[in-house]
Amino acid sequence: MTLRAKAMAVSAALLLCACGSGLTGTYEDAMGLTQLRFERGGVVVQSSGLGGVERQLRYEVEGDRIRMRHPDVEGAALVLTRVDADTLSGPLGVTYTRVAD
């Protein structure tokens, strides 16, 4: 394999890794009041067992930041920070921990 072919293979692998940087799995707050179920394709389902409410949102990942966009209010978003693979941190110190894949 030539040096050029190796470089192209490495570049393609890095590009595929970057495209797969989405978030999947279910995260829950410490009190169990809210769950966030991240799905492929930039969809997150926010649910609350307290009121039986479920809402589908869109999300984007930029580095360690996850921006969840409100579907009804232009420009409104909830920004979370990825602390590690199993923990997300939200506003006012709310922490979400992975409970399922």
Side-chain angles (χ1 to χ4, degrees), residues 23 27 81-89 96-98:
L23 186 62
Y27 294 76
T81 302
R82 190 179 341 205
V83 177
D84 57 40
D86 295 324
T87 311
L88 305 176
S89 176
Y96 298 91
T97 306
R98 182 189 297 265

Side-chain angles (χ1 to χ4, degrees), residues 27-38:
Y27 294 76
E28 186 174 81
D29 68 16
M31 295 179 64
L33 298 176
T34 303
Q35 280 196 343
L36 303 172
R37 187 177 72 238
F38 292 90

Side-chain angles (χ1 to χ4, degrees), residues 42-61:
V43 174
V44 58
V45 178
Q46 182 182 29
S47 59
S48 172
L50 186 64
V53 178
E54 189 172 280
R55 177 169 283 267
Q56 185 172 320
L57 309 165
R58 302 289 302 165
Y59 77 92
E60 302 166 345
V61 177

